[in-house]
Amino acid sequence: MQTSADGKKLFRSSLIVLSVLAGTTALVAPVRPAFALSELKHQPGETPQKPAEEADKAAPVEKEQQPEDASPLELPMPDPLIRKGETVTEPAGEEPVVTDDKPDEPLTPVEVLYDISKAPEAVRRMRQLIVEAAASGDIERLRPLLGKGVTETQVSIVETEEGPVETLKGQSGDSDGIEVLAILLDVLATGFVHVGQGTPDEMYVWPYFAEKPLAGLTPPEKVELLRIVTAGDFTDMQEFGSYNFYRIGITPDGQWKFFVTGD
């Protein structure tokens, strides 16, 4: 017959066994895997998130970048629409357009003469008579040399009813025409050129600057020019494009053809 003390011992032993069994069960229970936030059940109204791999696949494909060593595409420059001296073909019914530009023509060399003996005798005589009349200081001494009618010397590029002597006086800076006489001497003291050989316009012309491009003048020739005109006049001539001061022309037969200023 068991006593109460034995029953208490039996009860305690049973509790110990149950506790041991419960701990063993807890140790051997399977561990549930942890879920990612994206795998958890979403609440109503939330947008489900896709796994990272699926998001990468769904992302738009960006434009393929060029390799770093690839050079940029270079396009050739277009040809000029209109070339110098070229006729442009227009569509039917329109007039062709021709450019005004022309190739630069080479400058014709000019032979400058200083030896008056190379001119015909009639030219040398007329030149000497003009020099003597101008050196006298009396402009009236030019009158018989200037001719009359069809042989009258041209002294102005503008038509006038006055006689040549009166016209020259009007061009002079003084009332007696002394300045014009001085210009005559200065011009005839320079070199000259022979132009128009074999034509009706054959002439011996002073100064040679009238027939030579100013851009081709040498330093000594510029000095010779500045004995006739001022530096300001020379600058104006360069802008104008040619010599435009007084010039003298004598035909091979000794006729004093012109003494004019201007182009």
Side-chain angles (χ1 to χ4, degrees), residues 3 8 22 40-41 45-46 98 105 116-117 133 140 143 146 153 178 181 188 193 199 204 206 219 234-235 241-242 253:
T3 64
K8 292 180 179 179
L40 296 178
K41 185 177 181 180
E46 294 183 352
V98 180
E105 298 180 358
I116 190 62
S117 65
E140 285 295 332
R143 193 178 292 276
L146 293 170
T153 304
I178 301 297
L181 298 178
L188 289 174
V193 292
T199 71
Y204 289 84
W206 286 261
F234 180 40
T235 300
S242 63
D253 60 359

Side-chain angles (χ1 to χ4, degrees), residues 111-256:
E111 182 183 5
V112 180
L113 305 173
Y114 287 90
D115 186 0
I116 190 62
S117 65
K118 293 183 177 181
E121 173 62 27
V123 175
R124 298 199 303 269
R125 176 170 174 73
M126 175 56 72
R127 176 185 177 276
Q128 184 61 31
L129 291 174
I130 296 173
V131 168
E132 292 176 356
S136 72
D138 183 4
I139 198 171
E140 285 295 332
R141 290 187 57 176
L142 292 178
R143 193 178 292 276
L145 306 177
L146 293 170
K148 294 181 180 180
V150 294
T151 62
E152 185 176 277
T153 304
Q154 180 184 1
V155 294
S156 174
I157 59 175
V158 180
E159 294 184 3
T160 175
E161 295 180 358
E162 295 180 335
V165 171
E166 289 71 26
T167 300
L168 290 176
K169 282 185 177 181
Q171 295 174 0
S172 182
D174 64 291
S175 58
D176 296 328
I178 301 297
E179 183 184 40
V180 169
L181 298 178
I183 292 173
L184 267 172
L185 292 175
D186 287 341
V187 170
L188 289 174
T190 67
F192 61 99
V193 292
H194 182 199
V195 299
Q197 294 92 324
T199 71
D201 297 325
E202 185 175 2
M203 201 89 57
Y204 289 84
V205 179
W206 286 261
Y208 64 89
F209 311 113
E211 300 294 333
K212 184 172 183 177
L214 297 181
L217 296 182
T218 64
E221 289 173 338
K222 291 179 181 179
V223 172
E224 193 171 11
L225 174 58
L226 292 180
R227 294 178 61 185
I228 303 174
V229 301
T230 66
D233 293 333
F234 180 40
T235 300
D236 292 340
M237 289 179 187
Q238 289 177 310
E239 294 179 356
F240 180 74
S242 63
Y243 174 86
N244 57 9
F245 195 54
Y246 281 97
R247 70 198 69 193
I248 297 170
I250 301 176
T251 62
D253 60 359
Q255 180 186 347
W256 187 2

Side-chain angles (χ1 to χ4, degrees), residues 19-96:
S19 298
V20 172
L21 291 176
T24 303
T25 303
L27 291 174
V28 300
V31 180
R32 297 181 62 187
F35 291 95
L37 294 177
S38 60
E39 294 177 348
L40 296 178
K41 185 177 181 180
H42 297 281
Q43 298 296 329
E46 294 183 352
T47 302
Q49 298 183 357
K50 297 181 180 180
E53 295 181 357
E54 296 182 5
D56 293 340
K57 293 181 181 179
V61 180
E62 296 182 357
K63 185 178 180 180
E64 183 179 357
Q65 297 182 350
Q66 294 183 354
E68 294 182 357
D69 58 348
S71 58
L73 181 62
E74 296 182 0
L75 297 178
M77 295 299 293
D79 292 335
L81 296 179
I82 299 177
R83 294 186 177 87
K84 216 172 188 182
E86 180 182 51
T87 300
V88 181
T89 304
E90 298 291 340
E94 298 184 10
E95 295 293 332

